[in-house]
Amino acid sequence: MSKQIKEMARQIIQDIGGSGNVVSVTHCMTRLRFNLKDMSIPQDETIKQIAGVLGVARSGGQYQIIIGQTVNEVYDAVVATGNLNQSAPVNEQITKDLGTKKWTWKSVGNTILNKIAGSLTPLIPMLIAASMFKMLVAVLGPTMLNVISVKSDLYQLFSLVGDAGFYFFPVAIGYTAAKQFAASPILGIFLGAIMLDPGLVKIVAAGKPFTVYGIPMHLTNYGSTVVPILLSVWIMSYVERFFNQKIPASLRTIFAPTLTIAVMLPLSLCVLGPLGGFLGEYVSKAIISFGQLGGIAAIIGVGLIGALWEILVMTGMHLVLISAMITIVAQTGHDNFIMLGSIAASMAVAGMSLGASLRIKDKQEKSLAFSYFIANFIGGVTEPGLYGLAIKYRRPFLGMMIGGFAGGIYAAITHVSAYVVVPVANFMCLSGYVGGSTANLINGVISGAIALIVAAIATYMIGVEPKAKLQ
């Protein structure tokens, strides 16, 4: 048992009022479930800030602390630390709480964010490892130190390792999301693998019409996407539960998983998966229309791209904007709209990570936040900061959006143009402004600096954790 889990258990016991306040404790797939003598003692916001805790819930007379995939180890540590009686794990579906809980718009929003955070937080080690390999490629490759060539085995090895960590996101999230929604983790992995199967990739690349049971499939590439697999696993949890309940035990092992996937194929590939693409098409066209209006509308449009770009990327809704950006550069030789906002957004993620690292008091979380900054600013990988800070803590998301908006607005006001589509999100993306006048390059770099600095200051000012925890 690690020191971190022992310390986590000690803080949990302390913050729920000590072992004397515990009547009993058990756990399910993701949560510690306490029956307490006095439910008024635990302070939700305090317990949420314990390293490793993903959230809390009060339901069915229980005080539930959401842990995630390490709940078994944490439960054992809690029992040992509090000298409590061990109980059998609870085998119930998370959605049973829906019938007894009074829902509000705020609670629904918090539940959605908790599920997203619970699905993404366990992936942070993979994201960090992948981003470090991508950073080594960026630093040692021809764009910076030029120590290794693009054709060398080491460059290709590090590149494929770094890319794999992000491309196979749907497979990894299929597992973690299944744990969150009480579905079969193996079926979650399988569903993610289907979305990335080379056969499906070829179908999408070919661009020819394709149907699933006669239903037209929207041609979508799911590599590195998040939302399609999250939605699919969520719906799959209900489908799988239905077949497990209706099929006799003697046939369940064979038919329940087979029928679950059979039902999910059209739902995932024809409805849920392409949903981000459909939304992205309308959102992207709406943003592009700002640029076509010109004047103050175009300036605001660039700011909106800077503020919303990472959200669009996360949902897979940015592809229409990328297509438009490439077309504009190919036709005119430069872009003075979409690329300005996307570059500012990349710098804003780095700024958010820097601001969070300065604000967070916990040493481990502080060092992680700073590593996200390095991974982004040098390695060009935004995902660790986006999922490890913005999604996990929520408040930094606002700081990131403010920084991206500010950087985009400055670039638009100074009439900056980008001449090169730079496929990295580190400081080298500012080289996209090379090709015009010296003033163009200077203002482009300034816009990136503004995005980074404003995001850092805004994140620091807004805070990461509740103020009571930080003061």
Side-chain angles (χ1 to χ4, degrees), residues 191-207:
L191 199 57
I194 291 170
M195 290 181 165
L196 298 178
D197 184 82
L200 182 62
V201 173
K202 289 179 180 179
I203 291 171
V204 173

Side-chain angles (χ1 to χ4, degrees), residues 30-69:
T30 59
R31 306 181 182 201
L32 297 175
R33 294 171 175 260
F34 291 92
N35 289 310
L36 302 177
K37 296 177 182 177
D38 187 349
M39 287 280 282
S40 67
I41 292 178
Q43 299 299 310
D44 294 355
E45 293 302 325
T46 299
I47 291 178
K48 285 179 183 178
Q49 301 313 309
I50 298 175
V53 171
L54 302 179
V56 299
R58 297 171 184 263
S59 180
Q62 291 182 326
Y63 191 79
Q64 302 174 5
I65 301 178
I66 305 168
I67 303 297
Q69 61 182 356

Side-chain angles (χ1 to χ4, degrees), residues 69-376:
Q69 61 182 356
T70 60
V71 67
N72 293 334
E73 294 88 338
V74 175
Y75 175 75
D76 291 339
V78 165
V79 170
T81 301
N83 194 25
L84 304 171
N85 292 325
Q86 197 163 24
S87 301
V90 175
N91 184 19
E92 64 175 278
Q93 305 296 344
I94 295 174
T95 51
K96 283 186 179 179
D97 292 337
L98 294 175
T100 59
K101 186 173 181 178
K102 182 179 179 180
W103 289 96
T104 63
W105 285 110
K106 182 178 180 181
S107 66
V108 169
N110 285 335
T111 299
I112 292 172
L113 290 173
N114 283 336
K115 294 300 182 186
I116 294 174
S119 299
L120 296 176
T121 300
L123 303 180
I124 296 299
M126 180 185 77
L127 294 178
I128 293 175
S131 64
M132 289 300 105
F133 279 99
K134 289 179 76 71
M135 185 173 70
L136 286 172
V137 169
V139 173
L140 300 178
T143 58
M144 293 183 66
L145 299 180
N146 199 23
V147 175
I148 55 177
S149 69
V150 176
K151 295 182 179 180
S152 68
D153 290 348
L154 189 62
Y155 184 95
Q156 295 180 56
L157 175 64
F158 284 2
S159 294
L160 69 89
V161 171
D163 292 339
F166 299 101
Y167 178 77
F168 290 102
F169 238 31
V171 174
I173 295 176
Y175 172 80
T176 57
K179 301 275 281 187
Q180 281 291 307
F181 296 114
S184 166
I186 297 302
L187 288 185
I189 292 173
F190 187 29
L191 199 57
I194 291 170
M195 290 181 165
L196 298 178
D197 184 82
L200 182 62
V201 173
K202 289 179 180 179
I203 291 171
V204 173
K208 297 180 180 179
F210 187 82
T211 64
V212 180
Y213 307 154
I215 303 171
M217 184 186 79
H218 190 273
L219 301 178
T220 305
N221 189 334
Y222 296 106
S224 303
T225 59
V226 174
V227 173
I229 187 65
L230 277 174
L231 289 174
S232 296
V233 172
W234 173 47
I235 298 300
M236 186 188 76
S237 67
Y238 293 97
V239 175
E240 181 188 21
R241 197 171 305 135
F242 172 82
F243 286 122
N244 282 335
Q245 292 172 350
K246 299 300 181 181
I247 297 176
S250 58
L251 302 174
R252 190 177 301 151
T253 302
I254 297 174
F255 288 103
T258 304
L259 292 175
T260 296
I261 294 298
V263 170
M264 287 309 301
L265 287 175
L267 291 176
S268 295
L269 300 179
C270 301
V271 181
L272 301 173
L275 185 60
F278 289 132
L279 293 175
E281 185 173 353
Y282 291 107
V283 172
S284 298
K285 286 181 178 179
I287 293 175
I288 291 172
S289 67
F290 277 87
Q292 295 172 340
L293 292 174
I296 188 67
I299 293 174
I300 294 174
V302 175
L304 287 176
I305 294 174
L308 302 176
W309 182 262
E310 295 301 332
I311 299 176
L312 297 175
V313 171
M314 177 182 160
T315 56
M317 292 161 52
H318 65 305
L319 298 177
V320 174
L321 284 176
I322 289 180
S323 298
M325 177 178 68
I326 294 173
T327 301
I328 291 171
V329 173
Q331 291 177 348
T332 67
H334 64 91
D335 172 32
N336 58 2
F337 186 64
I338 299 172
M339 211 182 312
L340 312 189
S342 66
I343 291 174
S346 298
M347 292 295 97
V349 179
M352 173 197 68
S353 301
L354 179 60
S357 71
L358 295 174
R359 183 69 191 259
I360 293 174
K361 300 301 181 183
D362 182 82
K363 291 182 178 179
Q364 182 179 1
E365 294 295 316
K366 179 186 285 288
S367 63
L368 276 175
F370 189 74
S371 73
Y372 301 157
F373 166 70
I374 297 298
N376 184 175

